[in-house]
Amino acid sequence: VRLGVNLSAGGAIGWFSASRSGSNLLNTFDHGRYVQQSFYGDADGSDWNGKAWRYNPVQGGSWKNDPATVLESSGRDGALYVKTRPRQWAGRSEVPDMIFEQWLRLEGGLARLKIRKTYTGNRSHESRHQELPAVFLEPRFGTLVFCAKGAAAWQDAPLTRRQPGFPNEGADFSEPWAAWEEPGGQAVGIYFPHTTEATVYRVTGTGQGDCSYIAPVRSMALTPGLVFEHETILATGTVAQIRSVFTALHRQTQKSP
C-alpha cells in the first residue's frame, strides 16, 4: 500500500492506495475530508454556513479551507511523523490549546496510524462523541460491511451489508472494524480496537462533493491536561481478505503480554 499526508492541510492523511501506481481511495474534496483528527467541545458562538457550531479543532483546517499549521514533520524508513496545531472548523482561528500528533508506518501491507491529541486548555467541556479518526473515501465505496453487535465476535459470524444515507447514522459492532466496499469487490477496511461504535454517512448527487464517511466514535470530555492516544489501521483488498487480516491482528494482540 501507499500512504501520504498533505502538509498544506495540517498533515492530514490525503492518500491511501493499493500500490504506488494505484488510484487514491480517499476523498480530499475540502479540508474537512481526508483521514484526520477532529474533536468537539461546547458551543462557542461560532457559525458554520448559517448553523450554530461549537469548539471543534480540526487537523485539516477550517470549512473555508484555511489550513491548520504543521509544527513539525519528518519521514524516514517508511514512517511519517506530523505535529499539528489545528484550526477551528467554523470559527477558522488557530487553536492554541490543542496539539495533534500522528505516527504513520507501513507494515505487512497495512497502514498503521498512531494518533495522539493533547488538550492544554483551562476549560472543561461536556462529554461528546469524538471522531477517532474521521475517514472519508471516494463515493464508489457505497456499501458498509461489518460484524454487527450481538453477532459471535471473531467466529466467522455473518456480516451485515448496509448502504447508509445522509445525515449521520450510528453503527454498533461485535468486531471493531468495518469496510466500505465498491461494486467490483474492492474494499477499504478500518480497524479501531479502541471502540465498538461509529457514525457513518454517504453524500450522493452533489458531484465532486460526494463521499462515503465513517468515524469510530467514543464519548469523551475535553478536560484540562487530557492526552488521548489510539491506533487505527487501514487495509485494502476484498472484504474477506480484510476480515482475515484484522482477525489475525486481534488474536495476536490477545496473546501479547
Side-chain angles (χ1 to χ4, degrees), residues 41-124:
D42 296 339
D44 61 1
S46 60
D47 178 280
W48 173 34
N49 200 24
K51 182 178 181 180
W53 208 243
R54 60 186 67 254
Y55 179 85
N56 179 201
V58 172
Q59 183 180 0
S62 79
W63 74 289
K64 289 289 190 179
N65 289 331
D66 309 292
T69 300
V70 174
L71 302 174
E72 185 180 343
S73 65
S74 61
R76 66 174 183 270
D77 301 327
L80 290 169
Y81 169 74
V82 181
K83 182 178 182 180
T84 303
R85 180 186 297 117
R87 192 176 286 274
Q88 293 277 20
W89 175 246
R92 302 176 60 188
S93 61
E94 288 193 330
V95 184
D97 55 13
M98 185 78 82
I99 292 293
F100 292 159
E101 294 174 276
Q102 61 187 22
W103 294 260
L104 315 176
R105 73 183 192 275
L106 304 181
E107 183 178 285
L110 303 174
R112 304 189 74 123
L113 325 175
K114 178 182 172 184
I115 297 170
R116 177 192 293 161
K117 78 108 169 63
T118 302
Y119 174 62
T120 60
N122 296 319
R123 178 179 179 180
S124 293

Side-chain angles (χ1 to χ4, degrees), residues 147-176:
C147 187
K149 184 177 181 180
W154 311 115
Q155 298 179 32
D156 295 324
L159 296 176
T160 296
R161 279 178 160 79
R162 177 168 135 195
Q163 293 182 316
F166 190 84
N168 298 57
E169 303 175 14
D172 296 294
F173 309 98
S174 178
E175 299 173 7

Side-chain angles (χ1 to χ4, degrees), residues 174-239:
S174 178
E175 299 173 7
W177 67 273
W180 280 103
E181 184 182 44
E182 67 171 352
Q186 183 185 21
V188 175
I190 306 99
Y191 180 64
F192 37 85
H194 46 282
T195 187
T196 56
E197 299 178 70
T199 181
V200 300
Y201 66 70
R202 289 194 73 230
V203 174
T204 59
T206 68
Q208 287 187 327
D210 291 358
C211 67
S212 295
Y213 157 87
I214 181 171
V217 294
R218 182 165 151 185
S219 292
M220 185 187 311
L222 301 178
T223 55
L226 180 65
V227 178
F228 183 74
E229 184 176 296
H230 64 91
E231 184 179 47
T232 297
I233 296 174
L234 301 179
T236 185
T238 66
V239 168

